[in-house]
Structure formats: C-alpha cells, structure tokens
Amino acid sequence: MSEAGPTSRCGFVALIGAPNVGKSTLVNALVGSKVTIVSRKVQTTRALIRGIVIENNAQIILVDTPGIFVPKRRLDRAMVSTAWSGAHDADLVCVLLDARSGIDEEADAILTKLAGVAHPKILVLNKIDLVAREKLLALAGAANERLAFQETFMVSALSGDGVDDLRLALAGRVPEGPFHYPEDQMSDAPLRHLAAEITREKIYRHLHQELPYQSTVETDSWTERNDRSVRIEQTIFVERDSQRKIVLGKNGATIKSIGASSRKEIGEIIGQPVHLFLFVKVREKWGDDPNRYREMGLEFPKE
C-alpha cells in the first residue's frame, strides 16, 4: 500500500448512465490509459471494472458500471442490478447524459431512480462537441431541476475537452483517507480479465451485427516465458455451432484477424510481446450458468 499523508483523499466514484453515453471512454480519458473496453455495441461493460486515478493528493477509484437499460434477459437483469449496487456503494455518483439525446426515456428513468441514492451527485454532459451551446445550457438546467447536483460539467470524453476540470473536481470531493491501491496501479481488474475484455471488444469490432450478443471470452492460461514474452490462451464461447462458424470465418480468416488485433493491443498495454492463442467453443445456454456470472463479477439473478 502507498504511504499517504494526513491530507490524502481516496474514494469510489460511480459512473451511472444509459448504454452508449460514453462511460467507458470517460474512464479511459480520466485515467489516461485504456482500462475498460469501448465498443459501438451497447452493454459491453458487464462488471464493475475500476480505473484508478491519482490527482494531486487524491486517489479516485472509478467504478464503470454497466449501462442502465430495461432488462429483458437474465444477463440483462444481472448487469442492471450490478450498476445500481455500484451507485449505492460509492462515495460519489457521476451521472452521465448524452448531450445529443438529452433527457430521453432511459435518462428519465435513471434520474427518477437516482433520487433514492443518498450520495452526492455530479452531472456530466458528454459529447458536447456535437451540440449547440444553447441546447447544452437548457439540458443542464432541466437536469438540475430534477435532481440536486452539486456541480455540472460539460465534457467530450473522446477529445478530452473538460476532462481535466472534472478530474480536479472529483479529487477535491472524495473523502479524506489513505490510498487504497499502490500508486502505479491503474486498475484492479486482473490482467487476465482485461485481456479477455480486449478480445471481446475485437469480436464486436470485426463482426458487428453478425454475432448475437451472447458471446463471452475467458482467459484460460497466462504464462510468463523466459524471453519476457507472455503466452495467453483464451476461449471464445458462443451458444450455437452456427455462431462458432461466424467467429472462425472462411479458412479461419476472421479468428486470425481478431487475434492479431487483440494481441497487438494487449502487448501495448502490458509492455511485453504477446503470443495469443484463441479457441472457439459452443457452450449452450451459458447465459443461464451461475459460474459464468461469478467469473464476470456479476450476481446471478434467481429468476
């Protein structure tokens, strides 16, 4: 653990919002390194992956919750439940709204439910570079009428505009106390989990709408080799053989492309050469298996 002086601060900050408002992009911008996957596909963040930020004398532990939406499947219910538990357990809640969408049906439901969360709340309007200033001011006013936000920030997580101001504000608002994590640790997500998330992102990037959302990746082995390289074996699980064929592609072309992209990014993050081996297996109805939920850091819904 880091030695921290009496004036140090440390706290958990939950990012709450509908799918695709930019929570993962904002976490990565605040931390300054990639710690959560970013995808055009909604609902890509399944577990409470934390990014860790050091700003002045403060350690900010960011809880990137799954996007809150109307749940339809058991996995959906687990993700929504996890998101709300993240809000209730944090010291501070950042509510993200997509400046383009404003207070739509999803945002309205979130604001209504957040009234029951006792922690201090900060409003963050994201994607401000895509919206006229007058609309931004009107949206900020409407949201502040709904909830008592302590501060309002306007940012573009993608370009970084306004992110430094938000980081400074969070550092000043987390409670006084010692650091929870070593200063050089950006995320408490194990590297195995992060590597699996990166491969899962590459599957979405390469296959888009072709593969149903029910796919998951598990890191089976992580071996440090004598030449400082790392050998990683991962299994991609799908629910049907037809999906397995899609992931493999003709003559294995798709899986090779996914593997090359994932290997490159994992190597850049860990700073070591990576040998990545991907396998595709059919696991029928994995969405009903409690063990899969535990591996993703989710509670298994009973019904």
Side-chain angles (χ1 to χ4, degrees):
M1 293 291 171
S2 301
E3 294 296 324
T7 58
S8 65
R9 293 177 172 273
C10 184
F12 290 83
V13 177
L15 299 173
I16 289 286
N20 277 3
V21 295
K23 294 183 302 299
S24 294
T25 305
L26 182 59
V27 168
N28 294 334
L30 287 165
V31 175
S33 177
K34 181 159 187 169
V35 293
T36 71
I37 67 170
V38 180
S39 171
R40 293 177 299 141
K41 209 170 179 69
V42 299
Q43 305 161 27
T44 50
T45 302
R46 289 174 175 168
L48 301 179
I49 301 171
R50 298 171 176 87
I52 300 171
V53 182
I54 304 289
E55 181 67 43
N56 295 331
N57 63 332
Q59 186 175 69
I60 308 160
I61 302 156
L62 298 164
V63 183
D64 178 33
T65 63
I68 295 174
F69 52 95
V70 178
K72 295 183 176 67
R73 297 168 297 145
R74 177 175 262 146
L75 176 61
D76 296 342
R77 292 194 292 276
M79 290 162 63
V80 170
S81 173
T82 300
W84 282 114
S85 70
H88 284 284
D89 293 343
D91 298 297
L92 187 65
V93 177
C94 270
V95 183
L96 263 74
L97 295 182
D98 184 327
R100 296 172 306 174
S101 305
I103 303 177
D104 57 11
E105 188 176 349
E106 287 178 322
D108 179 71
I110 290 169
L111 291 174
T112 299
K113 192 159 183 176
L114 272 170
V117 176
H119 304 301
K121 304 172 192 70
I122 287 178
L123 176 65
V124 180
L125 302 186
N126 190 26
K127 307 180 186 179
I128 59 167
D129 48 325
L130 305 175
V131 176
R133 179 174 173 79
E134 298 76 28
K135 186 180 177 184
L136 290 172
L137 294 173
L139 175 57
N144 275 276
E145 284 180 15
R146 292 283 303 274
L147 277 180
F149 290 105
Q150 297 199 345
E151 283 186 89
T152 297
F153 289 88
M154 300 187 183
V155 307
S156 169
L158 201 56
S159 72
D161 189 22
V163 172
D164 290 346
D165 290 339
L166 175 60
R167 190 189 296 112
L168 281 168
L170 297 177
R173 287 190 173 276
V174 292
E176 288 191 9
F179 287 4
H180 291 342
Y181 295 93
E183 289 190 40
D184 61 351
Q185 187 172 338
M186 290 181 303
S187 171
D188 75 342
L191 287 176
R192 282 172 171 250
H193 179 71
L194 179 58
E197 290 287 272
I198 289 169
T199 299
R200 194 156 62 89
E201 177 190 37
K202 302 311 175 192
I203 294 169
Y204 294 152
R205 290 267 171 92
H206 283 80
L207 295 175
H208 308 310
Q209 303 300 320
E210 291 177 62
L211 189 69
Y213 191 69
Q214 291 95 318
S215 62
T216 190
V217 179
E218 293 176 12
T219 300
D220 304 312
S221 67
W222 181 292
T223 309
E224 299 276 348
R225 293 164 41 129
N226 292 334
D227 60 2
R228 283 199 71 256
S229 68
V230 178
R231 177 189 168 94
I232 302 170
E233 292 187 5
Q234 294 179 331
T235 301
I236 300 165
F237 288 102
V238 294
E239 291 196 315
R240 292 188 295 278
D241 191 58
S242 60
Q243 297 168 1
R244 179 177 177 272
K245 290 173 182 172
I246 291 172
V247 175
L248 290 172
K250 188 175 181 180
N251 298 322
T254 304
I255 193 76
K256 286 177 186 173
S257 184
I258 291 168
S261 300
S262 183
R263 180 178 67 247
K264 181 174 183 288
E265 185 158 327
I266 295 169
E268 288 171 355
I269 288 175
I270 68 174
Q272 294 172 261
V274 169
H275 307 280
L276 179 62
F277 298 86
L278 298 180
F279 306 91
V280 188
K281 294 182 181 178
V282 177
R283 182 188 275 162
E284 292 183 8
K285 297 184 177 178
W286 72 262
D288 295 326
D289 184 350
N291 291 326
R292 304 285 79 77
Y293 286 74
R294 281 192 286 275
E295 286 163 6
M296 292 188 287
L298 298 172
E299 288 286 327
F300 182 71
K302 295 294 186 288
E303 54 183 52

